[in-house]
Each structure stands twice: as structure tokens, then as C-alpha cells.
Amino acid sequence: MNGAEVWIVILALGAGTYLIRFSFLGLIGSRRLPEFVLRLLRYTPVALFPGIIAPLVLSPAATDGQFDPARGLAALFTLGVALVTRNMLAAIAAGAVSLYTFLWLLG
């Protein structure tokens, strides 16, 4: 692929993504959604985060896909902080500190 083809693909994917989002937000955005839809939308982050985080913990690219105990312990520690504090920034900070601490301790 040359540079022009890459940009055409990027622009086409961007336009497609915009149209998909506009179909939901732009066309329905001014209307009140039914209560059951709003209730279901509250679970979207809860459903997405495990799908994003689990592969990074269970088979990280940094270890060529092998489970790393330091990352597993850091994930458990972060989950514990998140459950206790119910504060996203505290969980992120605890995750970063615990990951580097466990990497340092476990080599």
C-alpha cells in the first residue's frame, strides 16, 4: 500500500465510524430513550473494560504472551483498591504504582 491508499482507508474508516455514531447520537439524541435502554447503557463500561484489560493481564505483549505474576498481582491489587475506594483515579494510581513495585520485586 502506498501513502495515498493508506489515507483513503483511514478517511473511509473515519467517515464510517462517524456515520455509525451519528445514527445513534444525532438522530436519536434529542429524544428521550426508554428507561430499559438507559438501564442497559449503564452496563456498557462494565462490559467493555474486562474485554480490554483481561488480554493485557493474561497474555501481555511485554512477555511474549506468557502470564506474568507481577501483572496479575497488580491487576488484583488495583481491583481491590477500586472496590474499596470506588474512585477511578485512586485505582489508576494504585495500579501504576503496584505494577512497577511488583515488577521491581519479582524481577
Side-chain angles (χ1 to χ4, degrees), residues 23-106:
S23 69
F24 182 71
L25 299 173
L27 300 177
I28 303 175
S30 61
R31 297 187 190 135
R32 178 93 173 121
L33 291 174
E35 188 61 35
F36 77 92
V37 173
L38 293 174
R39 190 172 49 243
L40 292 174
L41 285 174
R42 283 187 287 219
Y43 295 108
T44 302
V46 177
L48 288 176
F49 283 141
I52 294 170
I53 295 168
L56 297 174
V57 172
L58 298 177
S59 62
T63 59
D64 293 326
Q66 300 299 314
F67 179 75
D68 183 16
R71 285 173 174 77
L73 289 171
L76 289 175
F77 184 77
T78 304
L79 179 63
V81 169
L83 291 174
V84 169
T85 65
R86 300 190 59 80
N87 184 332
M88 182 181 64
L89 293 178
I92 291 171
V97 170
S98 66
L99 175 62
Y100 287 110
T101 302
F102 287 129
L103 286 173
W104 177 71
L105 287 174
L106 301 176

Side-chain angles (χ1 to χ4, degrees), residues 1-18:
M1 266 183 147
N2 63 24
E5 290 174 338
V6 169
W7 281 106
I8 290 171
V9 169
I10 290 172
L11 291 174
L13 290 173
T17 301
Y18 177 80

